[in-house]
Amino acid sequence: MGFRANSRVPVLIHSPDCGMSTRTLTLDPESAVVDVKRALLPMDENLFYFSFNGKVLDDAAKLRDFGVSRLSTLVLRMRVLGGGGDGGQPSRDCYLNMYAEKKPDKVDPNEQRLSKWTTCALSSEPLKPPCVVDRLGNLFNKEALVEGLIGKKLPKAFGHIKGLKDMMKIELELISGGESAGAMFHCPITGLEFNGKYKFFAIRTCGHVLSAKALKEVKASGCLVCHKEFGEGDKIVINGSEEEVAAMRERMEEERVKLKEKKAKRVKNGALEGNGNDGVDMDSTRKLSGSKHGIDTKGAEKTLAKTEVNTKLGNGDRVPKKDGANPSAKRFKATDVTPANATKEVYASIFISSRKSDFKETYSCRSLPLGRN
């Protein structure tokens, strides 16, 4: 091993893995660890390793580098192939980490906040005009929301969206020169970025999106971009807090109730009672015609026309009640409108057959009276 006689020191070798009793070797501290293994072991030295004071000794290092001195004890151990622990021995942490349940990665709250202001709430795709907002302040790409409505694939969280009337097109101001810290839009008045750090409103009357700071600093009753008038109830908070969303939901329900009451009142006021037209107002039926309102316009017109004709004729004959018809309705007779200087019998023969017993019918035509053949 190239040991120098004047610098050798006695060193104890202990090997519990090999079943070898403790031996004493005189070694040179300047010798490499691998040389000691080769001199001691006839087999492959890669299967074993030395440790000193609990530390694994590198094969290429020298004994002096680890502080090996007189009567130091070197422990010879066998490597466990495929283990992964120190010195080839699988450690306890390896097994614990192997069977430990992996915890989900924590989501950066800043990234989560930014995604609500830059992506569609339904498709999670980046916001791309045309964009819309619902009555609760959620942002959508219009195409994705319309497809969800048509396919009836909207999640339960968006169950309040029933149709196009529940969405409002908005005008988002793009940041000139590209994105700024992840934000794509900003306030056209103050320049504040549309990234969730600042409060924004969508104006229902025009669709422009403005920051709360702009509406607070500039006192005006109209939109600061298009100057269109709006009220306090026309402001929709975008991605508001739980309290703000609850307030907007309550306002939405109130508006729907008022709209239903208004429609019901309009239909009720449109019906006429006791006006000679069987309780049907033709003006209202023309406005509210169609299957949506459940009104048969054609039937109402027929009833009105029939009543007017019978009134003009003034026939005193009564028609028997049939299938719920009005018993006072009068049947039309041609003789009631006979022209002047005309015989009623002759005039009536134009429309009906008279004295059928005087006629002789053939297979092809009706013949003239027998007296005229």
Side-chain angles (χ1 to χ4, degrees):
M1 291 189 296
F3 294 152
R4 289 175 293 179
N6 56 355
S7 60
R8 293 181 178 181
V9 293
V11 178
L12 301 177
I13 306 297
H14 179 63
S15 180
D17 295 341
C18 298
M20 184 174 58
S21 58
T22 303
R23 299 172 58 182
T24 303
L25 294 180
T26 303
L27 303 177
D28 186 356
E30 295 293 328
S31 301
V33 176
V34 66
D35 293 335
V36 178
K37 289 198 300 182
R38 289 173 181 173
L40 185 63
L41 302 170
M43 57 189 72
D44 188 1
E45 68 271 11
N46 293 327
L47 298 177
F48 299 87
Y49 69 95
F50 276 111
S51 65
F52 177 64
N53 292 335
K55 296 182 179 180
V56 178
L57 305 184
D58 187 11
D59 289 348
K62 296 181 180 180
L63 297 176
R64 173 179 52 83
D65 298 335
F66 298 97
V68 177
S69 59
R70 182 181 180 85
L71 299 179
S72 297
T73 301
L74 299 179
V75 180
L76 181 64
R77 291 192 172 277
M78 182 179 294
R79 296 183 186 277
V80 178
L81 300 178
D86 292 342
Q89 293 248 357
S91 63
R92 183 172 178 268
D93 292 340
C94 293
Y95 290 109
L96 294 177
N97 294 332
M98 183 184 302
Y99 296 102
E101 183 178 352
K102 293 185 178 180
K103 297 181 180 179
D105 297 335
K106 293 183 178 180
V107 180
D108 188 355
N110 294 326
E111 293 293 334
Q112 191 175 16
R113 168 185 50 79
L114 184 62
S115 65
K116 291 182 64 176
W117 293 76
T118 57
T119 59
C120 173
L122 182 61
S123 64
S124 299
E125 296 179 354
L127 289 175
K128 183 179 179 181
C131 301
V132 295
V133 64
D134 64 2
R135 297 188 181 185
L136 302 183
N138 299 305
L139 294 168
F140 303 92
N141 286 331
K142 185 176 181 180
E143 183 179 356
L145 185 55
V146 171
E147 289 179 356
L149 281 171
I150 295 175
K152 298 181 179 179
K153 299 179 180 179
L154 291 182
K156 188 177 181 181
F158 303 134
H160 60 279
I161 304 176
K162 306 297 182 181
L164 297 178
K165 64 180 181 300
D166 294 323
M167 65 179 76
M168 181 190 72
K169 185 179 178 181
I170 56 176
E171 301 292 339
L172 292 172
E173 183 77 12
L174 283 169
I175 297 177
S176 58
E179 298 182 6
S180 175
M184 297 185 295
F185 311 100
H186 67 159
C187 175
I189 305 301
T190 61
L192 294 178
E193 294 179 355
F194 195 72
N195 56 10
K197 294 182 179 180
Y198 311 100
K199 191 175 183 178
F200 276 77
F201 291 99
I203 309 301
R204 295 176 62 177
T205 55
C206 61
H208 286 102
V209 177
L210 303 173
S211 63
K213 184 178 180 180
L215 295 175
K216 182 179 180 181
E217 293 182 354
V218 182
K219 302 297 182 180
S221 60
C223 175
L224 302 179
V225 178
C226 64
H227 309 292
K228 192 171 184 179
E229 296 291 331
F230 68 90
E232 189 66 24
D234 294 323
K235 296 192 298 184
I236 298 178
V237 184
I238 297 180
N239 291 328
S241 62
E242 293 182 1
E243 293 78 10
E244 291 170 336
V245 172
M248 289 189 291
R249 186 183 296 276
E250 184 178 356
R251 185 175 64 185
M252 177 184 67
E253 297 298 336
E254 291 178 354
E255 291 177 354
R256 287 182 174 177
V257 171
K258 290 180 180 179
L259 183 60
K260 289 182 179 180
E261 293 177 352
K262 187 177 181 180
K263 287 183 177 180
K265 186 176 181 181
R266 186 185 304 169
V267 174
K268 182 179 180 180
N269 292 338
L272 297 180
E273 298 179 359
N275 60 355
N277 293 336
D278 294 337
V280 179
D281 183 6
M282 295 309 301
D283 292 335
S284 63
T285 54
R286 291 190 186 97
K287 295 178 182 178
L288 303 177
S289 61
S291 59
K292 179 178 180 180
H293 301 280
I295 298 176
D296 185 4
T297 307
K298 295 183 179 180
E301 291 176 351
K302 289 180 180 180
T303 302
L304 180 60
K306 183 177 180 181
T307 305
E308 290 177 353
V309 170
N310 292 334
T311 303
K312 291 180 180 178
L313 293 178
N315 192 347
D317 298 338
R318 293 183 177 270
V319 180
K321 186 175 181 181
K322 187 176 182 179
D323 297 334
N326 188 358
S328 63
K330 300 169 180 59
R331 180 179 297 178
F332 170 76
K333 290 185 178 182
T335 56
D336 295 333
V337 289
T338 304
N341 302 322
T343 305
K344 289 185 177 182
E345 183 179 359
V346 175
Y347 184 74
S349 66
I350 299 175
F351 306 98
I352 60 175
S353 298
S354 60
R355 295 183 302 181
K356 294 183 179 180
S357 60
D358 296 337
F359 289 85
K360 184 178 181 180
E361 303 291 338
T362 65
Y363 74 95
S364 61
C365 66
R366 185 196 311 180
S367 64
L368 293 174
L370 295 175
R372 299 176 57 184
N373 285 346

